[in-house]
Amino acid sequence: MSRYGALAAAGVTMLLWASAFIVIRAVGTHYSPGALALGRMLAGTVALSAVALVIRPKLPRGRPLLLVTAYGALWFGLYTVLVNASEQHVDAGTAALIVNVGPILIAVLAGLYLGEGFPRSLLAGLAVAFVGVAVIAVATSTGRHDFVGVLFALGAAALYAVGVLLQKQALGSVGAFSATWLGCLCGAVVCLPFAPGLVREAASAPASASLGVLYLGVFPTAIAFGTWAYALKRTTAGRLSSSSYLVPGIAVLLSWLALGEAPTWLALAGGALCLAGVAVTRLGSGRPAPRAQLEKLR
């Protein structure tokens, strides 16, 4: 049952993360990358703190707390800033292609350091899904390929990979809610230097843009990172991260529905490849984790 719960949680995460691309595009003209990241983290922290007052989760200490602090700063905080910044320089398709180097890095690092190994189905599925993302990137590219934007996106991919690996280790003794709540709080703290810009931009931004920032904080952050942590606690980092290849395909469909941007046949073909690749990575995913891996996470 937990396997299906993890799949459902991963599905919620991918849907909400895909919606973030649409909202970021809509509010990016009113909020700078740092201010947008801070606003998003603050909104997520407030929402999660309200829940924490009710459920009173157990707080981690020692090494688990250090791991939470590290991935909160790197993934929740700096990663979000870099993704926002990259889309100021390159189009969404290019950004999605570069950031999705992350799952490949995660699979390699998890195989080496977490003992997850290199299952053939995982490697084959990653290859197919990455080709799908490349096809979507070609289909949605606007020709903007600024070198600075590429560097921002590569940095985001690296932080994504490191953040997932740190979180996977922390989840060996930290609950999914605490992992999300404290990670979001650390991300907000890291982004505090952008507070003056957030105050200034919020004063001039239209209400719709500010509501978009709140949406990013509550749904793609508080809820989506929570369901991600729930799923990651119950599966391997390599297989779960491969699910993020669904995000570009879902984003294309949401853009069609919400913004009226009809996808090309090439983009739809890329989305189909992403689905096929993720399906391939799931082959044999029901096998129990190796004992060596479980020992490392204790």
Side-chain angles (χ1 to χ4, degrees), residues 244-263:
S244 64
Y245 281 117
L246 296 175
V247 171
I250 297 174
V252 168
L253 294 178
L254 290 178
S255 180
W256 184 14
L257 296 173
L259 304 178
E261 298 176 350

Side-chain angles (χ1 to χ4, degrees), residues 17 20-21 36 41 64 72 86-87 140 168 183 191 193 222 266 280 296:
W17 281 357
F21 282 95
L36 177 56
M41 290 302 112
S86 71
E87 294 200 41
T140 59
K168 179 61 176 176
C191 293
L266 189 60
V280 171
K296 285 186 178 183

Side-chain angles (χ1 to χ4, degrees), residues 37-48 184 187-189 192 195 198 214 217:
L38 176 59
R40 177 176 177 174
M41 290 302 112
L42 287 177
T45 299
V46 170
L48 291 168
C184 192
V189 171
L192 280 178
L198 175 61
L214 292 177

Side-chain angles (χ1 to χ4, degrees), residues 49-135:
S49 296
V51 177
L53 288 175
V54 177
I55 67 174
R56 298 185 180 278
K58 181 180 178 181
L59 299 179
R61 298 179 179 180
R63 182 174 181 272
L65 179 59
L66 290 177
L67 290 170
V68 172
T69 302
Y71 73 69
L74 296 175
W75 189 16
F76 282 73
L78 296 180
Y79 165 87
T80 304
V81 175
L82 290 182
V83 168
N84 294 342
S86 71
E87 294 200 41
Q88 297 285 330
H89 296 270
V90 301
D91 56 77
T94 301
L97 174 62
I98 299 172
V99 171
N100 272 289
V101 171
I104 298 176
L105 296 176
I106 292 169
V108 173
L109 294 175
L112 292 174
Y113 297 109
L114 297 184
E116 293 184 2
F118 301 94
R120 292 181 180 179
S121 60
L122 175 60
L123 298 179
L126 286 172
V128 173
F130 187 77
V131 171
V133 173
V135 171

